[in-house]
Amino acid sequence: MLKVGLLGAGRIAGVHATAISTNPGSTLVAVSDINNDAAAKLATQYGAEARATDAILNDPAIDAVLIATSTDTHSDLIERATGAGKAVLCEKPVDLSLARAQACQKVAAKNGKPVMIGFNRRFDPNFSALKAAADRGEIGKTEVLSITSFDPAPPPVAYIKVSGGLFRDMMIHDFDMANFIMGAAPVTVSAVGTSIVDPAIGEAGDVDTAVVTLTYADGRIAVIKNSRRAVYGYDQRVELLGSEGLLQAQNMLENTVVKSTTAGVTGAKPTYFFLERYMPAYAAEWAAFVAAVNAGSALPVTLDDGVAALAMAEAATQSAKTGKPITLASVLN
Amino acid sequence: MLKVGLLGAGRIAGVHATAISTNPGSTLVAVSDINNDAAAKLATQYGAEARATDAILNDPAIDAVLIATSTDTHSDLIERATGAGKAVLCEKPVDLSLARAQACQKVAAKNGKPVMIGFNRRFDPNFSALKAAADRGEIGKTEVLSITSFDPAPPPVAYIKVSGGLFRDMMIHDFDMANFIMGAAPVTVSAVGTSIVDPAIGEAGDVDTAVVTLTYADGRIAVIKNSRRAVYGYDQRVELLGSEGLLQAQNMLENTVVKSTTAGVTGAKPTYFFLERYMPAYAAEWAAFVAAVNAGSALPVTLDDGVAALAMAEAATQSAKTGKPITLASVLN
Amino acid sequence: MLKVGLLGAGRIAGVHATAISTNPGSTLVAVSDINNDAAAKLATQYGAEARATDAILNDPAIDAVLIATSTDTHSDLIERATGAGKAVLCEKPVDLSLARAQACQKVAAKNGKPVMIGFNRRFDPNFSALKAAADRGEIGKTEVLSITSFDPAPPPVAYIKVSGGLFRDMMIHDFDMANFIMGAAPVTVSAVGTSIVDPAIGEAGDVDTAVVTLTYADGRIAVIKNSRRAVYGYDQRVELLGSEGLLQAQNMLENTVVKSTTAGVTGAKPTYFFLERYMPAYAAEWAAFVAAVNAGSALPVTLDDGVAALAMAEAATQSAKTGKPITLASVLN
Amino acid sequence: MLKVGLLGAGRIAGVHATAISTNPGSTLVAVSDINNDAAAKLATQYGAEARATDAILNDPAIDAVLIATSTDTHSDLIERATGAGKAVLCEKPVDLSLARAQACQKVAAKNGKPVMIGFNRRFDPNFSALKAAADRGEIGKTEVLSITSFDPAPPPVAYIKVSGGLFRDMMIHDFDMANFIMGAAPVTVSAVGTSIVDPAIGEAGDVDTAVVTLTYADGRIAVIKNSRRAVYGYDQRVELLGSEGLLQAQNMLENTVVKSTTAGVTGAKPTYFFLERYMPAYAAEWAAFVAAVNAGSALPVTLDDGVAALAMAEAATQSAKTGKPITLASVLN
């Protein structure tokens, strides 16, 4: 039974608390948050204790730590938790700064404890089924990957200003999805971006709509499309062309009801946002972490994966600004 | 090259004229109609002659006759045309009277010329693909057949009064579809009917909505649903459950465009009515007739099939009135 | 906070235990079962006590009882639990005997405590969305209801012998669904049944495939199709034709992945069986029970609904045997 | 009645001959081809004459010419036909050389006769319905266009060597589709290409797989994906994101049959190639030409459109070679 400390008590921490508590192989022992009341409330709900972060990290009875705090604390907490001998599952991204993330990567490697980054989409039943089918060779040799990833509505401009920008905040999930499905890092990253959804986002120095093309050493190509706004709901699709066919992971819908009238044939919208769409993925992600830690086996997503996606975000940011393709190698050096 | 005389110059005759003319194995030679102008117009359009029906039937240069006149003339014309040595394709139904149709069947058999009944739906690419898959054993042993067959809007009550009723006029297509797919005649026919779409149809002595259940000697079951009104378009679906799976032939849609908005995900309606939906079926039906007549091989739909469907309509009419299952045998004797 | 005793510790009791525990308005206090070990194990998992049934019923601190024992105990337990002042949620069916269920109905009415019958499908998000759309008038006046309800595989013949037969054991869910959607009881019930899936089921006196037609006082019609075997998974669909359109609740699929190859375009199968398909429905059912009991408002499904569905099963059983339509009134007297 | 001369008697000329003959507003008068037998055969089939090209162009009784000869003759024939006072419908592309196409554009403009370029996809019922919906504002302001356009199988390498390359031969259709839907020319064209389908195509100096990103002055973005091989059939999809929704034109399928077995739920493949998919588009294209010429109104696709698409192909070719975005302006000067 894995004894777990949860750092953070916000909305996504609540999702993780449920996963920890309902998983038969783990128990939630303690919760910390800069907001004491939030920590207390969440702890009570699941029969755990509210503690200070240090008290969690220093407790030898705690085996693992789940980091669900604000992004600017991730690197420090990964370093401290692994230094304290804890297995770690940390929400993405590792850091907004690639250099800081790479430094963290080195410290964690030295500390020798497993660190998993919360790229929850890898555990979505649809995307994981697509990946499994591709790995079984069901469409032959893979050639072209397309990822469509639209949020239902843009966040407040105030958030965008501290988010690191669309490529680091939003598309980073899609960069990881590309790495997951292609099983390789790209050679070049070419990005175009625009603030067509909301000019205020452009004025804040960011884009709200972007298309990124990735090329691979073996001639494969990937395309990622992002928009901060799809009024019909969370649009999360993956499409993979291979020498022997095409795989598509389509949207989850709110229900299966279809209405036919003189106005046409109308079905339900996609599930609204990530909590609705990816709730099963969070539980599967945690189950994979528990299984790997308990077995001492390799984690399915690593800190290296977190750094790799961040490097692609860095390259895309540069490409969108300069209008030129950026090699991933140039960013990593 | 099959030389063809067309009896009738109405709307459906026009559809057949196109099929005859564009088929590389047949030529339209002459058209007759009680309306001389209509016959002349249709003949001119396709480079044929307008003639009296007798002049067509008596012309030894004409190989085949397509009967697309009003229902009350079908039996007589089948008898006369086969008597004159013509191969015949006659629009359904053979007759509204089962006894008259059976008499015609005997005359035609004596005349020894092939007669095909225009159950065009057998040639619909969707239904014929479903039938072919079932025949290849793709769903194992067949068990339960379901036919949904809704018209977009009811005909005028004046038409309904002379139509022979829903079972003889509309569901007769579905009875033939059941015979086509099940490859056997049913043992019993149980019908319930209602005039829920338009009370005036009930006052005219007919129903506008009906459900018929057919049982077969080997334990199989079929269900047919009819409604005179589906405001979203022509709803024509077939579903066949077997020991190893399910086959469904779904509706054809007006186009493939799908729109996702806050109101849901909306696609196009089914094609509006039989001319839109079954236009390819009419051409395929005629091609099958030409191929069989030219090869001297068995026709894919025969006068016997026309009588069989009519007997089922008779049984359904009796069942809806009496509230009891009717055996097909009792109707045929 | 509703304090709940759970009678039964089998598979479906486990599902209910989860719903009781995760619902913020209810707590699982005690579990009983004829198998003490099973009760103890389930109780421990959710922090409850294993007790004798009497100890649960006699505990004044327990507000509500969930009955998930074998069918032959339902009526007795409903009577005893309501007699002890508990609110009750009882798994379907009330009883295999209509007379016994009606007697239970009288006792429970006298005891004056609310009894809800576990027709979980009413709480399926798809069926409830269809019902809500119909109630909002989105397809005008309803006319024809079709229910397709196929299990993935038949149960053992040993179970079938004690099940009460397909109409009481399996189609009873669909009878309730018809009552739910049509908002009225039918006038007549006509059934045909066959043991085409497995002759041994026929030898045991039951059918494994059946079609039932229901007629309503206002001219509407409903058709229910049941098969004990659909090898592709649990096939649970509802279709409702109205004067202004059609509503369909389609199957839930295992995932949204679609593969296009030379063999065609292939998607996932329907979710396998009721635990997969209706898991969200069990939680919603329990939530509705808790909400109604706490509010003292009317339950969404009542013991009367349980008796009504059982009467339809009785009528269908008689109809399948006699080959005649059976009026519901004749069964209820 | 428009009297038409057809230049060319190959496969696509046969498609046009059918459209000309079946359109009630046009008649096929004459056919020419470098292969006299082919011209004679096609002319006979539709009651026309085989003639030399000059004899067609010099015949004052011929109103319009349809050019369906090899690409290298298009520009010359457009110039000669307009010089002879004929209205022209010419198959795409205008020429493989942008400079030659621009010269032709000037000559035709001087000759003052209408020239339509055969971008048949604009007349596909799906794409035209999507465009109409966008023009009606059904998804608000348009933002991101995605075009997926995969052929079922690559042509012979011998053809590829004379084709002008993927961008001029294949993607030119998609460039025109982008112009059609976006209603504007792009500012920049960025292309990546690879010969991952067949290395021999790469050795011949071409790519077989490519992704092109287009940016527009108003901040919109378009992405085009091409592959010479999709083994499951002709994959022709368009997707348009707007401020108020998403429009998708999906593939046409061979039929609507769906099979559910233990292996999954399988539907038909997309129609195989352009003749199957776009047959209705060819008829609609010709009808639009006839209507515009007869009315003296503006043609729906012009020689300018042909030059615009060719310029984008030129820019994409340069971008794929240099790895840099190319402005359309730089190519047009």
Side-chain angles (χ1 to χ4, degrees), chain B residues 177-321:
Chain B
M177 184 56 59
N179 292 344
F180 173 53
I181 291 177
M182 298 300 253
V187 176
T188 65
V189 178
S190 303
V192 297
T194 181
S195 58
I196 198 170
V197 169
D198 184 355
I201 291 173
E203 288 157 18
D206 198 7
V207 296
D208 51 40
T209 303
V211 173
V212 169
T213 305
L214 310 173
T215 64
Y216 292 81
D218 55 9
R220 293 183 297 168
I221 304 174
V223 188
I224 300 170
K225 291 185 295 176
N226 266 193
S227 170
R228 290 280 195 186
R229 180 185 61 199
V231 298
Y232 51 91
Y234 200 37
D235 195 340
Q236 299 281 299
R237 287 173 287 150
V238 168
E239 191 168 310
L240 183 61
L241 178 68
S243 56
E244 297 173 24
L246 181 80
L247 286 168
Q248 296 168 293
Q250 302 181 326
N251 283 319
M252 307 280 291
L253 303 182
E254 290 176 339
N255 60 57
T256 67
V257 176
V258 174
K259 178 173 65 170
S260 300
T261 66
T262 53
V265 177
T266 300
K269 289 179 288 185
T271 48
Y272 183 67
F273 207 179
F274 66 97
L275 286 182
E276 291 82 8
R277 162 69 188 251
Y278 291 122
M279 193 55 82
Y282 285 109
E285 175 186 65
W286 180 252
F289 176 79
V290 170
V293 170
N294 282 343
S297 59
L299 291 169
V301 201
T302 65
L303 189 47
D304 293 358
D305 291 317
V307 171
L310 192 60
M312 292 161 76
E314 180 65 32
T317 304
Q318 291 182 21
S319 176
K321 280 192 181 139

Side-chain angles (χ1 to χ4, degrees), chain C residues 6-14 17 28 30-46 48-51 68:
Chain C
L6 173 59
L7 310 187
R11 186 171 58 164
I12 199 66
L28 182 63
V31 180
S32 73
D33 197 273
I34 50 173
N35 178 331
N36 288 334
D37 288 350
K41 190 175 170 192
L42 188 57
T44 302
Q45 189 177 341
Y46 290 97
E49 285 180 17
R51 295 190 194 165

Side-chain angles (χ1 to χ4, degrees), chain A residues 16 18 20 23 68 73 85 93 98 103 122 159 212 235 291 295:
Chain A
H16 288 300
T18 303
I20 296 166
N23 187 295
T73 66
L98 176 58
R122 293 192 182 206
Y159 170 80
V212 169
D235 195 340

